[in-house]
Amino acid sequence: MRAFVYVIVFFSFFDLFSQLPIMSPFALSLGASSFMTGLAVGMYSFSNTIGNVISGFMTDRRGPFVILLIGLFASGISLLLYSFASDPVSLLGIRFVHGFMEGLIVPAAFTFLANRAEESKRGRSVAISGAFVGMAAIIGPAYSGIVASKTGAPFIMTVNGIIMFILAISAFFLLRSFSIVKKNKSKQVKHFRVRYLFKHPGIVRAFAGAFFLMFSQGVLALVLPLKVEALGFDTKVTGMLLSTFGLVAILIFLLPINRIFDKVRPMITLAFGISMMGISMLFLSQVTELQFLYLAMILYGIGFAFLFPSINSLLIDSSSPDFRGKAYGYFYAFFSIGVVAGSSLIGYLDLTFKGGFTLTGIILLSVAIYTILGMKRSLLLTEEPR
């Protein structure tokens, strides 16, 4: 069961990452202006955020099995709609539907995994799921870039849609025996749980970690290609640099070192991970030699690999199965918001690539310091008075 849910996680993110190289050219081919092209790219993240939150509420009410089925079937249908896009306005509508429907899948899938993870192995479990996300980030763009050059964006989306249908049919037969019978909950408990999400320190830290993780990703996606181009290298180097951080992260996720996420407190690995990402950003702002760019991306990959399981473990430890769907819904909504915020802030401030990386590095290190101080404060508060 867990292996199949990991496959669902992989293809959900595979669909996301396979859009990156092809959506802007596809929008332009339909006659979209620069503004409409940007809107078409961002519309997916916008509606995906809404879908994430709604998925969380529906998962707690109906269980992750039903929401997974709905999300997979609906995503398959929305992906087939790309073949009927005839102008920028119709593309915007399809992007909204696609983002919303796919937003239903990931919170339900991770809730499914979290509810069945042994407490002593929950860190390794989320590390393995992170490896599948990392593999999707490497394979997805390469696949779509190569295939789209010979076919087109609608063909890529149609193939992805067929995969979603296959996953939905397989899930119906493989996962239905694992569906949970939901306990009756009073309205008072339901309302309390929503407020509780934003009052519990562990859940808030998980949300913040998700936001800043993807904030840095948004900055990296915007600024790294500019720096590489300014140094006189071609776009292949950008792809290799991004693949480097992904490969490093996957190795840490899958090698025996992943046991550290079960033995060390999530707050410690969170602080270490976000510190490494901050240092890598400051390093990227200064270096000009190609070998040092690769070193910076290795540091970023290490930070990413420590941060992703840490925030997932925090969320699992801080939530219970009766409201974990809501927690994951908001969690992945902060993922989507973080990407938009990172690229938008740097673009709005009109910073150079050096300034963009420096500002991001300072922000990440500040968050790491705040995390460490908060951890020390919580330890002092829990000490017995002498």
Side-chain angles (χ1 to χ4, degrees):
M1 180 279 298
R2 297 183 64 81
F4 180 68
V5 179
Y6 286 139
V7 172
I8 292 176
V9 169
F10 170 80
F11 278 108
S12 295
F13 282 94
F14 177 85
D15 179 47
L16 167 65
F17 289 116
S18 65
Q19 301 171 35
L20 299 181
I22 62 176
M23 198 46 58
S24 294
F26 182 53
L28 291 171
S29 71
L30 295 176
S33 62
S34 297
F35 172 75
M36 288 292 284
T37 299
L39 197 58
V41 172
M43 183 61 73
Y44 178 93
S45 295
F46 172 72
S47 62
N48 193 259
T49 301
I50 301 172
N52 289 153
V53 174
I54 292 177
S55 173
F57 282 85
M58 293 173 65
T59 295
D60 286 338
R61 287 191 175 189
R62 302 293 182 183
F65 171 69
V66 174
I67 308 309
L68 266 179
L69 282 185
I70 294 173
L72 289 168
F73 270 115
S75 294
I77 293 171
S78 65
L79 283 160
L80 297 183
L81 295 177
Y82 281 92
S83 297
F84 301 97
S86 57
D87 54 55
V89 175
S90 62
L91 179 61
L92 280 179
I94 294 168
R95 292 288 289 167
F96 181 90
V97 174
H98 180 200
F100 177 83
M101 295 306 178
E102 198 137 313
L104 301 178
I105 299 174
V106 174
F110 275 89
T111 301
F112 216 118
L113 291 170
N115 287 348
R116 286 158 183 80
E118 295 179 38
E119 186 175 349
S120 62
K121 297 181 179 179
R122 53 98 173 93
R124 293 179 64 191
S125 174
V126 294
I128 293 171
S129 65
F132 280 92
V133 175
M135 284 188 285
I138 294 173
I139 298 171
Y143 155 78
S144 63
I146 294 170
V147 176
S149 64
K150 299 180 179 180
T151 55
F155 179 83
I156 299 292
M157 297 311 202
T158 299
V159 172
N160 290 355
I162 293 171
I163 293 172
M164 290 296 179
F165 284 129
I166 294 172
L167 290 174
I169 295 169
S170 302
F172 178 78
F173 292 104
L174 295 176
L175 300 182
R176 60 178 175 176
S177 60
F178 294 94
S179 59
I180 300 175
V181 177
K182 303 301 292 179
K183 298 178 181 179
N184 292 326
K185 300 191 288 289
S186 66
K187 291 183 179 179
Q188 184 179 359
V189 173
K190 289 180 184 179
H191 289 306
F192 169 76
R193 291 306 183 191
V194 177
R195 297 197 302 271
Y196 176 79
L197 294 178
F198 294 94
K199 290 183 178 180
H200 191 288
I203 294 177
V204 171
R205 285 166 182 154
F207 289 168
F211 175 85
F212 286 108
L213 174 68
M214 299 312 291
F215 181 94
S216 69
Q217 284 279 288
V219 174
L220 203 62
L222 176 68
V223 182
L224 184 63
L226 300 178
K227 170 141 188 154
V228 170
E229 183 181 353
L231 293 176
F233 302 111
D234 58 25
T235 55
K236 291 180 182 178
V237 172
T238 303
M240 291 296 294
L241 288 169
L242 292 172
S243 296
T244 298
F245 108 73
L247 288 171
V248 170
I250 289 171
L251 287 174
I252 294 175
F253 286 145
L254 295 180
L255 290 175
I257 192 177
N258 65 15
R259 293 190 180 95
I260 194 174
F261 302 117
D262 293 324
K263 297 179 179 178
V264 179
R265 290 178 59 193
M267 288 294 292
I268 296 175
T269 51
L270 185 155
F272 175 77
I274 204 164
S275 297
M276 292 295 290
M277 292 170 68
I279 292 169
S280 73
M281 288 288 174
L282 293 179
F283 199 37
L284 280 171
S285 71
Q286 300 298 321
V287 299
T288 56
E289 299 293 329
L290 186 58
Q291 63 267 30
F292 291 122
L293 289 176
Y294 278 107
L295 177 59
M297 295 309 294
I298 290 172
L299 294 176
Y300 186 87
I302 294 171
F304 184 96
F306 273 80
L307 183 56
F308 184 83
S310 301
I311 54 181
N312 273 277
S313 294
L314 265 177
L315 198 71
I316 294 171
D317 292 346
S318 305
S319 61
S320 62
D322 64 329
F323 66 95
R324 188 165 288 146
K326 296 184 186 72
Y328 265 112
Y330 283 105
F331 181 75
Y332 279 99
F334 277 103
F335 262 69
S336 298
I337 296 169
V339 175
V340 177
S343 57
S344 299
L345 176 64
I346 301 303
Y348 175 76
L349 295 176
D350 196 22
L351 298 174
T352 63
F353 52 79
K354 182 177 181 179
F357 281 133
T358 301
L359 176 62
T360 306
I362 292 172
I363 290 173
L364 293 179
L365 287 175
S366 299
V367 173
I369 293 170
Y370 181 79
T371 300
I372 294 169
L373 293 176
M375 187 167 52
K376 288 183 177 179
R377 182 184 176 190
S378 64
L379 287 173
L380 290 173
L381 290 174
T382 54
E383 286 183 355
E384 292 290 336
R386 298 185 180 182

